Amino acid sequence: MKRPVILLLSLLASAAAYAQEEADDYYLYKLEGQETAEQLRVETDTLLFYRAVQGGDDLFGRISEYSFFHVDYSRRGVYYADRPAMVDGISMRRANISVVRRLGLSEYAYGGLADGDGVSGSIVGGELFSTSEGVPLGGGNVGVFFSGRGYLGGGRALLSAMMRRGWSMSLYLAGRGGDDLYVDGVYTSAVDAGLRLTREFESGASFAVVAATTVAERGLRTGSTEEAFTLTGNRLYNPSWGRQEGRERSGRVRREAVPFVVASYSSSPWRRTRMRISAGGDWGQRRYGAVGWYDASTPMPDNYRNLPSFFTSDAAAGAVADAWRAGDERYTQIDWAELYARNAMSSRGAVYAVDDRVERIARGEMSVLFETDAGRGLTLSYGVRGSYDNVRRYKRMRDLLGAAYLEDIDYFLTDDDTYSNMLQNDLRNPSRRVSEGDRFSYDYALTERWAALQARLEYRSDCWRVSCGLEVAGAQIFRRGYYEKELFAGGGSYGRSAVSSFTPYTAKASVGYSFSARNYLSLSAMAAGVAPDADDMFLNAEYNNRMVDNPVLERRQAAELSYRMVSQSADVSITLFAARTLDGRRTMRAYDDLSYLYCDVDVSGINTLRYGVEAAAEVHFTDRLRGAFGLSAARYRYGRNPFVSHYSDTDNSEVSIRSESHMNGCSIGGAPQLCATAEVTYLDYRGWALSCGVHAAAARYVDASYIRRTERVARQASVSEEIYDEFMTQQRLNDAVTVDASVSRWFYMRRGRLVVTLSVRNLLGTRDTVYGGYESSRIRRYTAGSQTVYRPLDNIITYSYPRTYYCVVTWKF
């Protein structure tokens, strides 16, 4: 009876939290019967006895990963997508994690600077999946589920089988779809698929192939201003949809199909040496569809020019406010009928259209890793890794909204006195008329080539664990343009740009000591240099081969001190951490309200500081009652002031160079600095389980804007200290607390087990929790007599969901 008890407790511990779609998937994966091993306790070998506490997993991450679904949450101030995930040493997008988990791969989550697969420059850990540690036994499960959040519901099936000649297989297929029951204009139609094939050879070698993909279409929700939420009286107001012939149509749609494939071979070619060769990557397409306007006013209903606060006339402001409060969808939503009408009246083709921003992804990666047992507690790991990442981006016309064509020119320049005679987006096909399905506007590719040598030495004794690792790489980044932009004729936009080369590196060291088989203390440190993202290497990658000046590595320095205690009744971890990044870089395109120009913005010298403490505990109060607790108290902020340079988007001329931005002391957005989670699970041996959790996040801030805090904007545009404070003050979001609960009932049958679970998120039904937000870089211009007054635009925010329900029925056989 003990094994089912442990299994179901671990399943239900995760059942009280899911955040967005990935958390839904993780929650379902747990309910489908993936078994969690008990804490390893070996007493026959002294070294193994101590390794149980030395090699513990990421306890805080396991407890807290999906506890904060109600807020924008980035652990240790690092965006979740930047936390690496790997299968047999090959990098994988985090979107594929849920599929890979169900295929039965062994998983190890490491936090902070703990050793991963190779020498990683991550300061927040990652997830490692391996095909070489056992295969799933025969069997499978099927399930149906209802959500209502993001989609209505769906079903899934998993089949695992042992085959002849050492082969085994796992096959996973799922589908979900339907409209969101809470937010208008949001929907999902998606299919997940995964395959794992493994061959075990008599020699001890193994070969495996893993494939995972999601083919999906999603209608998206976007944030808005507090003014729009107040006018509509709806915290879940979504401006990105409207009615067309009586039916909802989203103006923001994401479509993707990016399969991930990895093949690996493991063997022992020499005595005491293990080898693994892996190759894989992503190949596919992502498309982000949105309404485009061409020498016309924006169709977005919540644009600041369409809100009452824009109007200086009280009568006009009152009339607009009345229309918003009345719920007139011609004002509050995208007016599709009006867009069709404007196109019908146009004598120059479409002025409104729906276009797709397309990304064609081709990323290949290879890893060859050796691990040699040198004796006397020494293990040496060494190998080589390399990758080739090519992303081609272009616009594709999806829907001309009744028009016959769109002329492929730069509509932002049609009224420009200097550049209105240089409108061609593709000088080699001038004034081309774009039909539905055609590419237009821009077409380019960014390429990153990377190769690295790595080595790691580890020493273990009964009490000590010491390791050090080094990785040195060579990286190259360049752009290739497929359109010749008239503004940057010849090599300025067409063909290959200059190649920028870097030498990234990572050095890590760790020392740990086991006071006993239950208590372990470790100290780790890291120094790394990371190449900038390819997107941040160009002033405007869409149609400009011009690189930023003086590109350098982003430097990362980090250290942490961890304590772990394991006993029969509790598992406790406490970690003190500190990390600093230097010389970060970002580029963006923005309209400059002071010069009245569209500009390419280069932000250099971005520095951040992250330091704090994480504590977590799993406690077994009784055989039936267990608890999971987590606490994080930290400070995530910008250090030093970066510099912001503006370049004219038409000719790369300098508009403002190295204007200091007062970011020092601003908090990193999307990273609550105080987090606490507590969850209690009770199991009744007769087949019932109850779980209840409380999760709180505080000291939260919107993402700060580099542009509006520059001396150029904040000082020159402010006519008073009060307005200066508006530019410099970072909005603190309200503290967020949510209560979740779930109840489960399982039934054992002759040929399997049936599990039924109902979960409630945000049990108290709180509706005023802000999920997250960011500052606008735009500023408003007011005229008062002869004086011009500038003020920042309102922040864009999104509210969290109210009470939601989730139900799943699974049969495992």
Side-chain angles (χ1 to χ4, degrees):
M1 191 68 183
K2 185 177 181 180
R3 187 178 180 185
V5 170
I6 294 173
L7 166 63
L8 287 166
L9 280 172
S10 65
L11 303 183
L12 295 169
S14 67
Y18 74 105
Q20 314 309 326
E21 185 172 313
E22 183 180 343
D24 287 349
D25 288 341
Y26 181 72
Y27 167 76
L28 283 169
Y29 148 80
K30 286 294 187 181
L31 285 178
E32 285 171 354
Q34 304 294 330
E35 300 190 3
T36 303
E38 296 184 64
Q39 176 68 38
L40 180 64
R41 299 183 179 89
V42 182
E43 302 184 12
T44 56
D45 183 281
T46 307
L47 183 56
L48 290 178
F49 187 64
Y50 281 94
R51 283 192 179 185
V53 67
Q54 290 178 355
D57 67 344
D58 180 15
L59 182 60
F60 180 84
R62 175 156 49 87
I63 290 174
S64 66
E65 186 172 11
Y66 299 113
S67 294
F68 305 107
F69 72 95
H70 56 302
V71 296
D72 190 4
Y73 174 73
S74 297
R75 185 180 175 186
R76 296 193 186 182
V78 177
Y79 184 52
Y80 83 99
D82 293 332
R83 179 180 168 100
M86 307 183 82
V87 177
D88 284 347
I90 303 300
S91 301
M92 174 183 67
R93 294 189 308 135
R94 297 193 65 85
N96 290 316
I97 284 181
S98 61
V99 176
V100 169
R101 276 176 173 152
R102 291 186 175 84
L103 296 177
L105 279 69
S106 62
E107 178 181 1
Y108 170 64
Y110 65 100
L113 304 182
D115 295 324
D117 193 350
V119 184
S120 169
S122 171
I123 62 176
V124 74
E127 276 80 31
L128 306 178
F129 295 88
S130 174
T131 61
S132 61
E133 299 180 12
V135 296
L137 300 178
N141 61 73
V142 295
V144 294
F145 50 90
F146 163 82
S147 172
R149 174 175 171 167
Y151 56 91
L152 185 61
R156 61 187 65 211
L158 171 68
L159 176 65
S160 297
M162 303 295 294
M163 300 182 292
R164 295 185 299 174
R165 297 182 180 179
W167 286 95
S168 65
M169 178 201 70
S170 292
L171 178 64
Y172 173 73
L173 186 66
R176 59 190 183 278
D179 294 337
D180 188 300
L181 297 183
Y182 306 94
V183 182
D184 292 328
V186 175
Y187 69 90
T188 296
S189 178
V191 174
D192 300 331
L195 173 67
R196 170 187 175 174
L197 288 173
T198 303
R199 171 94 186 267
E200 301 284 350
F201 297 94
E202 294 181 0
S203 63
S206 65
F207 172 77
V209 175
V210 174
T213 189
T214 296
V215 180
E217 177 181 314
R218 298 180 179 91
L220 303 179
R221 173 192 182 191
T222 54
S224 191
T225 63
E226 186 63 55
E227 181 180 10
F229 290 119
T230 300
L231 287 168
T232 59
N234 179 13
R235 298 296 198 196
L236 302 181
Y237 166 66
N238 177 20
S240 296
W241 70 278
R243 295 193 189 277
Q244 182 177 343
E245 297 179 349
R247 300 182 62 182
E248 290 183 5
R249 179 177 180 180
S250 175
R252 302 273 182 180
V253 179
R254 185 174 64 205
R255 300 171 177 88
E256 65 175 344
V258 187
F260 168 76
V261 180
V262 60
S264 65
Y265 174 77
S266 298
S267 69
S268 297
W270 308 289
R271 184 171 177 265
R272 293 188 172 186
T273 297
R274 187 75 178 170
M275 176 189 70
R276 186 189 67 203
I277 302 175
S278 306
D282 300 296
W283 294 269
Q285 191 176 99
R286 282 198 298 257
R287 292 170 289 169
Y288 183 82
V291 181
W293 54 100
Y294 304 93
D295 197 20
S297 59
T298 173
M300 297 308 297
D302 62 336
N303 182 271
Y304 74 98
R305 293 176 176 271
N306 298 329
L307 294 172
S309 59
F310 174 77
F311 299 90
T312 57
S313 166
D314 291 341
V320 173
D322 289 341
W324 273 81
R325 294 192 184 100
D328 190 336
E329 291 184 355
R330 294 175 299 173
Y331 292 88
T332 64
Q333 307 301 149
I334 297 174
D335 190 347
W336 291 104
E338 179 66 14
L339 303 188
Y340 274 87
R342 293 286 186 90
N343 279 351
M345 293 186 292
S346 172
S347 60
R348 56 178 177 84
V351 293
Y352 292 100
V354 176
D355 53 62
D356 283 338
R357 293 180 176 268
V358 181
E359 289 186 331
R360 288 176 52 188
I361 299 167
R363 186 188 63 84
E365 190 171 340
M366 185 171 184
S367 169
V368 181
L369 182 66
F370 296 89
E371 184 178 280
T372 299
D373 180 2
R376 296 186 178 183
L378 288 174
T379 303
L380 177 63
S381 302
Y382 48 96
V384 60
R385 294 195 296 150
S387 68
Y388 180 87
D389 191 350
N390 179 274
V391 179
R392 186 164 178 174
R393 298 189 176 116
Y394 52 86
K395 269 190 180 181
R396 174 183 289 162
M397 180 57 65
R398 172 165 287 273
D399 189 347
L400 284 165
L401 302 181
Y405 66 91
L406 173 73
E407 190 174 359
D408 190 12
I409 60 174
D410 191 334
Y411 289 89
F412 290 105
L413 300 178
T414 53
D415 297 326
D416 192 291
D417 293 336
T418 304
Y419 297 100
S420 58
N421 62 339
M422 303 177 69
L423 301 179
Q424 299 303 320
N425 287 324
D426 185 4
L427 193 57
R428 303 187 177 207
N429 294 282
S431 299
R432 181 171 60 97
R433 291 190 171 186
V434 177
S435 301
E436 291 176 359
D438 291 345
R439 299 184 190 185
F440 72 106
S441 185
Y442 61 84
D443 187 357
Y444 70 99
L446 293 178
T447 300
E448 298 180 69
R449 299 187 296 218
W450 181 87
L453 294 172
Q454 63 179 39
R456 180 175 175 272
L457 181 66
E458 180 181 71
Y459 168 75
R460 285 199 184 195
S461 67
D462 287 354
C463 297
W464 289 97
R465 179 182 181 184
V466 181
S467 67
C468 59
L470 177 66
E471 180 177 87
V472 179
Q476 292 184 326
I477 298 174
F478 60 89
R479 175 190 182 274
R480 183 178 296 277
Y482 296 96
Y483 280 0
E484 183 180 356
K485 181 81 169 176
E486 189 169 11
L487 287 173
F488 304 101
S493 58
Y494 188 79
R496 198 173 82 166
S497 70
V499 178
S500 188
S501 299
F502 300 91
T503 308
Y505 64 90
T506 300
K508 298 178 74 172
S510 178
V511 57
Y513 182 77
S514 299
F515 297 95
S516 69
R518 295 183 176 182
N519 298 273
Y520 180 65
L521 183 69
S522 66
L523 175 65
S524 302
M526 181 191 77
V530 181
D533 289 340
D535 288 299
D536 296 320
M537 286 291 297
F538 298 89
L539 291 184
N540 188 338
E542 286 187 356
Y543 47 75
N544 196 340
N545 276 336
R546 165 78 150 82
M547 284 189 172
V548 298
D549 296 327
N550 189 33
V552 296
L553 295 175
E554 177 183 291
R555 292 177 290 155
R556 298 178 182 177
Q557 301 161 358
E560 66 180 29
L561 179 66
S562 298
Y563 169 75
R564 188 74 175 257
M565 188 275 288
V566 177
S567 70
Q568 293 288 341
S569 60
D571 186 354
V572 179
S573 71
I574 301 175
T575 301
L576 301 174
F577 64 89
R580 179 172 71 163
T581 66
L582 304 169
D583 298 326
R585 194 156 209 151
R586 301 290 182 271
T587 61
M588 62 197 76
R589 187 171 189 257
Y591 184 77
D592 181 44
D593 292 282
L594 298 185
S595 65
Y596 303 91
L597 293 173
Y598 282 98
C599 290
D600 301 320
V601 183
D602 176 25
V603 186
S604 60
I606 302 172
N607 301 327
T608 64
L609 291 172
R610 300 169 172 89
Y611 52 88
V613 58
E614 291 177 343
E618 283 186 334
V619 181
H620 304 174
F621 298 111
T622 68
D623 289 342
R624 300 186 181 188
L625 186 65
R626 299 191 181 188
F629 309 93
L631 174 67
S632 174
R635 183 77 170 96
Y636 311 124
R637 67 180 182 86
Y638 291 91
R640 302 182 188 176
N641 290 330
F643 295 94
V644 179
S645 299
H646 284 69
Y647 299 86
S648 172
D649 196 47
T650 55
D651 59 6
N652 292 337
S653 62
E654 299 176 353
V655 176
S656 172
I657 300 299
R658 290 180 63 83
S659 178
E660 188 173 7
S661 179
H662 293 277
M663 294 290 291
N664 189 9
C666 286
S667 296
I668 296 174
Q673 299 178 63
L674 291 173
C675 293
T677 178
E679 187 173 66
V680 176
T681 301
Y682 176 79
L683 176 70
D684 187 316
Y685 289 107
R686 292 172 295 181
W688 287 94
L690 302 174
S691 182
C692 185
V694 180
H695 318 291
R700 306 186 299 127
Y701 295 85
V702 298
D703 282 317
S705 166
Y706 300 105
I707 295 175
R708 77 187 227 181
R709 284 179 169 74
T710 58
E711 282 286 334
R712 176 174 175 267
V713 173
R715 280 296 181 190
Q716 295 182 25
S718 300
V719 298
S720 68
E721 287 299 319
E722 290 78 10
I723 294 180
Y724 177 77
D725 288 341
E726 287 186 29
F727 280 102
M728 301 301 293
T729 301
Q730 185 179 16
Q731 180 186 352
R732 177 169 175 167
L733 302 177
N734 59 342
D735 298 342
V737 180
T738 186
V739 178
D740 305 329
S742 68
V743 57
S744 294
R745 180 76 165 95
W746 65 95
F747 307 87
Y748 287 97
M749 298 177 290
R750 177 178 299 178
R751 295 187 178 180
R753 182 176 68 241
L754 183 70
V755 181
V756 181
T757 297
L758 174 66
S759 299
V760 182
R761 317 298 174 210
N762 190 5
L763 185 65
L764 303 181
T766 304
R767 291 179 173 269
D768 60 354
T769 298
V770 177
Y771 178 82
Y774 63 92
E775 295 175 347
S776 173
S777 296
R778 296 290 306 277
I779 59 179
R780 283 278 312 269
R781 184 185 301 107
Y782 300 86
T783 301
S786 60
Q787 188 176 41
T788 300
V789 179
Y790 296 93
R791 304 183 76 170
L793 287 183
D794 292 342
N795 297 334
I796 305 299
I797 60 174
T798 303
Y799 278 89
S800 188
Y801 275 73
R803 183 185 300 112
T804 58
Y805 302 89
Y806 188 75
C807 180
V808 59
V809 179
T810 303
W811 176 47
K812 182 177 180 181
F813 54 89

